[in-house]
């Protein structure tokens, strides 16, 4: 059985992970599409889809909740969904605001945090935030019980591993004793460094003030001050999110291309999932050059030379032969990379998606990819 | 354009989205520079890149190391750039571990967004000035910045502007201005963009090209369109223009027989199939290239798809040859 088909049948959360440029968003959307065709109420949570794909799915940038893909899209592609396909684009800032509103003891405290400049910088700048908020949103949608299957795309991190480390990185940051110990006394002392007795804290505060100025220091101190009383809630939530990712309801689909760099990352990612106790479900090898034939062995250099000096038909044949040889070379090199990959991840866990003669940047494109992934129809 | 002119600014920033081949293009440019006797350094940004593997070397460190004659490589790690900055700026010679911990780096770069990028660009400025905050001083003729920014490439290059606005006083503001001057001065820095002939990379390249002008005051130089399916350039009969009616089994078999070999039906299927694949992918790429050329002012240099599945030095040498020819044609 197609390993992903199996996941669609038995899992509630499918996380697609992989390095940049391998087609994660397309694969995630194609899996959700397939689930909808099989009668599931499916939602795909995308991070940064191509504009044409977003438009094609009917996504608007600022809605931070799933929107149902119009049935007409299916019928236009000759498909009859028994289930439903929903899609959304993550809005990191709004998701974060919702978390703050939920965990702040009072509305006023939540509003003070949301208005704080350092807090706003976190959403846009602090690495790990976008990844964590994607997981947070996933947790929220899963808890709602509104969907049978949730498929989530992961942010285009420099390498796929950043994403696994992100939730801990963010909670470690909030809980950092260094920051809490140094910044909270500063605020309690009314913003006067002189009054902070602790020597280390004093060194810290002086340096930060000289580097980025008193105003910025004030903002950050206020932020950590306002966060007091919320750490436990945050931490508990982060643990629940982590527990969902480890649970039987969840599976990870690793997406790769057949290039050596991407295959290396996918292998490493697979082993990291294992170490972290996260459930690996399947591997998608995307954009594999198609293999046509076994290579034309009879052609020798002298044949090519003679063709190139011949008639226009002969010269065309020479160009065709060179083209075929070039593609067979790339097919061979890709196969070498994939053979190495098969030693780490057995082939029965794979789905291979050929490099198509069209782009998958709209709904019909997704249908084409989906048909390649699930050829049984 | 003369290659001497191409390399007259010392800093070449290679910008582009993840997965488009910035490291490949950076490495090829480094070879072109080294062939001209220049001492060149490729700076990766905060990542263990594939560059050293190409040259069979070990992972790059913060201190530049020579990968092959004339070609050096380094990894500008943000933590180390911060430590160096604190040492030089605040004379913190014994940097407390506190200030190089990931939490502090996260804190200070979040408190002052753009600081992360400024530390990296500041290190580039330092290299350009031929200075070092410890370790040997190098006098590189060419510094190639493989600008693998985690987000949009524009964020990276506009960081100094953002920081100059956010931090009103103090040394950081002054330093941001030095970096802005460095980036805007075409005698010192050129920004080249790398893209694939695909939907999203082209869209981002077009947006970046415009925004670099309006928001950073910087004019990008060349857009390298990477991995373009190209049939053998030495053959006059390119597949892009082949007549589909000519792809007839009998005609092809006859031509083969005349040249002294025999083609089977399976062979014809493969030949016609790959020709079709080539034409289809090539047509998609042509469409995106046309869109790219319509929407940006800078010249586009097409680099061929190498029919490979990973980086190897001979491939990079071939791209270097290609770049030499195409830059000269500009």
């Amino acid at each position: 059985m197609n390993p992903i088909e199996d996941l669609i049948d038995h899992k509630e959360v499918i996380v697609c992970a992989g390095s940049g440029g391998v087609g994660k968003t397309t694969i995630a959307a194609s899996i959700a599409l397939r689930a909808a065709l099989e009668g599931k109420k499916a939602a795909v949570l995308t991070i940064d889809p191509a504009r044409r794909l977003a438009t094609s799915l009917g996504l608007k940038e600022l809605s931070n909740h799933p929107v149902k893909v119009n049935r007409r899209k299916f019928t236009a592609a000759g498909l009859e969904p028994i289930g439903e396909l929903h899609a959304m684009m993550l809005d990191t800032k709004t998701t974060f605001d919702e978390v703050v509103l939920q965990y702040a003891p009072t509305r006023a405290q939540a509003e003070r945090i949301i208005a704080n400049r350092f807090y706003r910088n976190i959403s846009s700048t602090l690495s790990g935030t976008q990844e964590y908020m994607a997981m947070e949103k996933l947790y929220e949608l899963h808890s709602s019980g509104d969907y049978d299957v949730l498929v989530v795309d992961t942010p285009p991190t420099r390498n796929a591993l950043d994403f696994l480390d992100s939730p801990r990185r963010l909670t470690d940051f909030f809980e950092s004793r260094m920051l809490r110990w140094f910044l909270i006394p500063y605020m309690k002392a009314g913003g006067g460094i002189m009054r902070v007795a602790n020597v280390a804290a004093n060194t810290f505060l002086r340096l930060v003030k000289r580097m980025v100025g008193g105003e910025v220091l004030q903002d950050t101190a206020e932020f950590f001050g306002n966060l007091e009383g919320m750490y436990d809630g945050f931490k508990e939530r982060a643990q629940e999110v982590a527990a969902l990712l480890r649970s039987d309801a969840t599976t990870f689909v690793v997406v790769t291309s057949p290039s050596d760099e991407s295959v290396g990352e996918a292998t490493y990612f697979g082993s990291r999932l294992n170490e972290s106790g996260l459930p690996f479900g399947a591997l998608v090898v995307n954009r594999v050059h198609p293999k046509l034939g076994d290579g034309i062995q009879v052609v020798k250099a002298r044949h090519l030379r003679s063709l190139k000096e011949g008639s226009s038909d002969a010269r065309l044949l020479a160009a065709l032969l060179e083209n075929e040889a070039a593609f067979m070379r790339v097919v061979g090199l890709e196969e070498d990379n994939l053979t190495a990959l098969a030693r780490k991840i057995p082939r029965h866990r794979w789905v291979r998606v050929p490099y198509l003669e069209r782009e998958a940047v709209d709904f019909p494109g997704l249908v084409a990819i989906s048909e390649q992934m699930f050829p049984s129809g | 354009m003369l290659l001497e002119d191409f390399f007259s600014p010392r800093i070449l920033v290679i910008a582009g989205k993840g997965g488009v081949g910035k490291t490949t293009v950076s490495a090829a440019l480094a070879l072109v520079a080294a062939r001209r006797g220049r001492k060149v350094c490729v700076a990766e940004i905060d990542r263990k890149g594939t560059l050293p593997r190409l040259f069979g070397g070990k992972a790059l460190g913060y201190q530049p190391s020579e990968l092959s004659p004339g070609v050096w490589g380094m990894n500008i790690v943000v933590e180390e750039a911060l430590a160096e900055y604190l040492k030089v700026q605040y004379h913190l010679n014994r940097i407390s571990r506190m200030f190089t911990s990931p939490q502090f780096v996260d804190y200070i770069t979040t408190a002052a967004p753009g600081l992360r990028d400024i530390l990296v660009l500041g290190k580039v400025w330092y290299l350009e000035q031929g200075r070092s905050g410890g370790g040997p001083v190098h006098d590189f003729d060419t510094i190639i910045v493989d600008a693998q920014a985690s987000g949009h490439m524009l964020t990276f290059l506009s960081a100094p502007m953002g920081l100059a606005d956010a931090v009103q006083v103090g040394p950081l503001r002054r330093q941001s201005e030095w970096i802005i001057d460095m980036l805007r001065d075409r005698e010192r820095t050129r920004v080249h963009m790398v893209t694939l002939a695909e939907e999203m990379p082209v869209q981002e390249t077009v947006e970046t090209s415009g925004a670099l002008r309006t928001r950073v005051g910087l004019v990008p130089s060349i857009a390298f369109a990477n991995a373009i399916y190209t049939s053998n350039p030495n053959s006059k009969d390119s597949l892009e223009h082949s007549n589909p009616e000519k792809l007839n089994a009998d005609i092809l078999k006859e031509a083969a027989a005349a040249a002294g070999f025999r083609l089977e039906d399976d062979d014809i299927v493969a030949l016609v199939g790959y020709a079709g694949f080539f034409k289809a992918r090539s047509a998609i790429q042509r469409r995106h290239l046309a869109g790219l050329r319509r929407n940006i002012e800078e010249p586009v240099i097409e680099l061929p798809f190498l029919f490979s599945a990973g980086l190897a030095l001979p491939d990079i040498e071939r791209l270097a040859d290609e770049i030499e020819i195409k830059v000269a044609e500009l």
Side-chain angles (χ1 to χ4, degrees):
Chain A
M1 187 181 192
N2 180 314
I4 295 182
E5 200 88 63
D6 194 41
L7 299 176
I8 291 173
D9 285 348
H10 297 104
K11 301 290 176 183
E12 294 161 22
V13 172
I14 300 175
V15 183
C16 294
S19 46
V22 296
K24 267 189 314 243
T25 309
T26 312
I27 297 297
S30 302
I31 294 174
L33 171 70
R34 175 67 180 186
L37 291 173
E38 288 186 352
K40 305 271 186 186
K41 185 173 174 188
V44 57
L45 201 169
T46 67
I47 309 293
D48 186 21
R51 202 170 296 160
R52 245 168 80 194
L53 179 63
T55 312
S56 190
L57 289 171
L59 288 176
K60 294 199 178 53
E61 265 181 53
L62 294 170
S63 82
N64 196 31
H65 55 84
V67 179
K68 189 176 164 185
V69 177
N70 198 313
R71 253 189 110 74
R72 279 197 305 261
K73 293 273 179 194
F74 285 84
T75 44
L79 297 170
E80 194 55 43
I82 312 170
E84 292 176 7
L85 175 62
H86 297 246
M88 73 164 276
M89 207 187 306
L90 179 77
D91 178 345
T92 305
K93 170 79 167 61
T94 306
T95 308
F96 207 160
D97 291 353
E98 287 163 6
V99 176
V100 170
L101 282 164
Q102 189 176 351
Y103 286 97
T106 64
R107 176 101 197 167
Q109 189 172 336
E111 279 166 5
R112 277 200 302 277
I113 292 174
I114 290 172
N116 181 280
R117 195 160 53 173
F118 184 71
Y119 168 77
R120 292 203 303 268
N121 293 346
I122 290 175
S123 295
S124 60
T125 305
L126 182 60
S127 62
T129 307
Q130 195 184 34
E131 288 87 343
Y132 183 69
M133 289 308 147
M135 297 305 109
E136 171 63 39
K137 192 74 199 176
L138 177 70
Y139 178 81
E140 181 203 315
L141 293 172
H142 183 258
S143 306
S144 76
D146 287 344
Y147 303 93
D148 303 322
V149 179
L150 291 161
V151 188
V152 59
D153 176 20
T154 50
T157 44
R158 246 174 275 186
N159 63 65
L161 299 167
D162 291 352
F163 150 78
L164 284 183
D165 298 329
S166 68
R168 221 197 30 225
R169 192 163 177 188
L170 193 66
T171 44
D172 280 358
F173 179 72
F174 285 140
E175 287 196 314
S176 160
R177 271 182 286 178
M178 174 179 78
L179 299 177
R180 286 166 75 181
W181 285 359
F182 294 170
L183 289 168
I184 292 165
Y186 172 74
M187 198 169 104
K188 291 199 172 130
I193 291 177
M194 299 306 283
R195 273 170 276 165
V196 175
N198 177 323
V199 177
N202 211 289
T203 314
F204 173 93
L205 294 169
R206 279 172 190 282
L207 179 75
V208 173
K209 189 170 178 179
R210 285 172 67 191
M211 263 184 92
V212 296
E215 210 177 306
V216 175
L217 183 59
Q218 186 72 32
D219 282 339
T220 62
E222 266 170 27
F223 172 77
F224 279 95
N226 276 315
L227 217 58
E228 281 292 277
M230 290 174 62
Y231 295 107
D232 291 343
F234 267 142
K235 195 170 182 179
E236 207 173 291
R237 178 73 164 204
Q239 282 164 353
E240 285 166 8
V241 172
L244 170 65
L245 293 182
R246 283 185 172 74
S247 79
D248 280 347
T250 301
T251 189
F252 282 76
V253 169
V254 178
V255 185
T256 185
S257 81
S259 79
D260 61 353
E261 190 177 3
S262 171
V263 160
E265 285 243 331
T267 311
Y268 190 38
F269 192 70
S271 64
R272 277 291 306 274
L273 282 175
N274 238 331
E275 283 164 25
S276 320
L278 294 165
F280 169 77
L283 175 79
V284 176
V285 187
N286 194 21
R287 297 183 158 196
V288 184
H289 278 90
K291 182 169 187 286
L292 307 174
D294 297 312
I296 301 172
Q297 312 297 340
V298 294
V299 185
K300 304 281 178 284
R302 65 186 157 85
H303 295 141
L304 276 177
R305 271 198 306 274
S306 129
L307 286 173
K308 284 180 182 174
E309 286 155 13
S311 65
S312 72
D313 290 345
R315 293 200 309 270
L316 173 63
L317 178 59
L320 287 172
L321 286 165
E322 281 176 343
N323 181 59
E324 187 267 354
F327 275 107
M328 285 312 284
R329 172 174 126 93
V330 71
V331 165
L333 292 168
E334 288 182 353
E335 211 43 65
D336 291 347
N337 294 339
L338 296 181
T339 303
L341 181 59
R343 282 196 283 273
K344 306 287 181 188
I345 302 173
R347 288 186 195 259
H348 69 268
R349 310 286 291 275
W350 295 16
V351 173
R352 284 169 76 125
V353 184
Y355 204 11
L356 299 183
E357 293 188 6
R358 59 166 298 155
E359 280 185 297
V361 287
D362 51 14
F363 192 83
L366 285 185
V367 172
I369 292 282
S370 184
E371 280 167 357
Q372 291 292 334
M373 286 179 80
F374 310 103
S376 50
Chain B
M1 179 193 274
L2 292 172
L3 280 159
E4 282 65 42
D5 294 339
F6 181 86
F7 286 112
S8 93
R10 282 173 73 194
I11 302 168
L12 306 180
V13 177
I14 310 302
K17 210 173 143 55
V20 298
K22 282 185 299 299
T23 303
T24 314
V25 173
S26 299
L29 288 171
L31 289 183
V32 176
R35 286 173 184 177
R36 270 152 198 81
R38 305 179 77 88
K39 182 178 175 184
V40 52
C41 182
V42 180
E44 299 259 25
I45 295 174
D46 221 1
R47 71 193 284 261
K48 292 193 193 78
T50 43
L51 184 75
R53 214 172 60 202
L54 272 179
F55 295 95
K58 281 182 296 215
L60 298 175
Y62 190 68
Q63 295 302 335
S65 55
E66 193 164 13
L67 297 168
S68 78
V71 178
W72 295 62
M74 69 183 295
N75 177 11
I76 305 185
V77 182
V78 173
E79 277 79 0
E80 297 205 45
L82 176 63
E84 185 174 351
Y85 177 79
L86 294 177
K87 196 161 145 189
V88 172
Q89 183 66 42
Y90 296 104
H91 311 292
L92 292 179
N93 273 318
R94 259 183 346 132
I95 309 263
S96 150
R97 284 231 311 271
M98 171 166 87
F99 293 124
T100 51
S101 72
Q103 271 104 19
F104 181 75
V105 174
D106 276 350
Y107 165 71
I108 198 75
T109 55
T110 305
L115 181 58
R116 186 175 284 272
D117 300 324
I118 293 289
L119 288 168
V120 168
L121 289 167
K123 178 65 183 173
V124 174
W125 183 85
Y126 236 65
L127 286 168
E128 188 215 21
Q129 303 290 313
R131 296 196 213 175
S132 169
V137 176
H138 292 280
D139 203 9
F140 292 115
D141 301 311
T142 299
I143 301 155
I144 297 176
V145 184
D146 180 4
Q148 178 89 27
S150 57
H152 201 287
M153 51 182 147
L154 184 66
T155 320
F156 175 66
L157 291 170
S158 61
M161 321 282 293
L163 198 71
D165 288 344
V167 180
Q168 294 294 332
V169 290
L172 257 182
R173 188 195 162 85
R174 200 168 61 242
Q175 287 144 4
S176 303
E177 283 163 359
W178 292 345
I179 293 171
I180 295 168
D181 289 344
M182 171 183 85
L183 290 176
R184 282 183 181 163
D185 185 346
R186 286 172 65 83
E187 304 287 304
R188 295 167 70 190
T189 305
R190 289 290 163 93
V191 176
H192 300 298
M193 301 185 294
V194 183
T195 184
L196 294 174
E198 289 178 14
E199 179 97 3
M200 279 188 85
V202 163
Q203 186 182 306
E204 193 171 312
T205 304
V206 169
E207 284 167 9
T208 304
S209 166
L212 283 175
R213 287 179 165 78
T214 54
R215 282 169 48 190
V216 191
L218 186 160
V219 181
S221 294
I222 296 173
F224 290 94
N226 195 21
I228 304 299
Y229 283 99
T230 315
S231 54
N232 187 351
N234 303 321
S235 153
K236 273 176 281 176
D237 306 273
S238 71
L239 286 182
E240 288 94 327
H241 308 295
S242 67
N243 180 354
E245 282 164 26
K246 289 274 186 178
L247 301 181
N248 170 297
D250 293 336
I251 296 180
L252 296 175
K253 281 181 179 176
E254 231 168 83
F261 63 100
R262 195 180 143 80
L263 286 177
E264 306 296 334
D265 286 343
D266 288 355
D267 298 334
I268 303 291
V269 170
L271 288 177
V272 175
Y274 278 128
F277 185 82
F278 177 89
K279 286 185 83 163
R281 289 305 317 185
S282 179
I284 295 170
Q285 291 189 329
R286 292 287 136 208
R287 204 178 64 237
H288 288 303
L289 282 171
L292 180 66
R293 289 201 163 94
R294 227 179 9 253
N295 289 297
I296 64 173
E297 286 168 36
E298 41 282 4
V300 176
I301 286 185
E302 295 176 24
L303 296 176
F305 175 60
L306 294 174
F307 291 94
S308 177
L311 295 182
L313 201 50
D315 294 331
I316 305 297
E317 297 274 6
R318 244 201 81 191
L319 284 181
D321 298 343
E322 198 80 24
I323 289 173
E324 285 182 351
I325 295 166
K326 294 202 166 150
V327 168
E329 283 170 1
L330 287 183

